[in-house]
């Protein structure tokens, strides 16, 4: 599953994100973003140049508890 998000914080390779547009979540059956805060962490394994407030797309592996910034 791919998710759009906004960078909130950067700590080395760990990026704190907020889920993208809430209207996108209405059509999704995933429980991933069905949380009140809709914030999560992702690994920047490709060392992409990112800044706070950047929009990113992340891949969330099915059945996994981590994400990877693309």
């Amino acid at each position: 599953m791919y998710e759009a998000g906004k960078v909130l914080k950067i700590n080395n390779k760990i990026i704190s994100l907020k889920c993208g547009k809430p209207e996108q979540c209405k059509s999704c059956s995933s429980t991933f973003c069905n949380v009140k805060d809709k914030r999560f962490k992702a690994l920047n394994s490709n060392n992409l140049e990112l800044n706070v407030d950047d929009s990113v797309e992340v891949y969330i592996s099915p059945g996994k508890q981590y994400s990877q910034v693309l």
Side-chain angles (χ1 to χ4, degrees):
M1 168 174 79
Y2 291 90
E3 178 67 48
K6 182 176 180 179
V7 176
L8 299 174
K9 183 179 176 183
I10 301 169
N11 185 6
N12 297 318
K13 288 188 173 193
I14 305 298
I15 311 302
S16 297
L17 303 164
K18 180 172 175 136
C19 280
K21 300 175 183 174
E23 59 269 13
Q24 293 173 330
C25 295
K26 290 178 185 175
S27 63
C28 181
S29 61
S30 172
T31 57
F32 178 76
C33 267
N34 288 336
V35 294
K36 185 178 180 181
D37 199 13
K38 297 186 181 186
R39 294 172 189 241
F40 58 99
K41 293 182 180 181
L43 176 64
N44 183 4
S45 59
N46 294 324
N47 294 315
L48 301 173
E49 279 193 44
L50 297 173
N51 296 298
V52 171
D53 291 330
D54 280 353
S55 293
V56 295
E57 184 175 65
V58 296
Y59 176 72
I60 303 166
S61 298
K64 302 293 181 184
Q65 295 182 358
Y66 65 90
S67 308
Q68 181 177 1
V69 178
L70 300 176

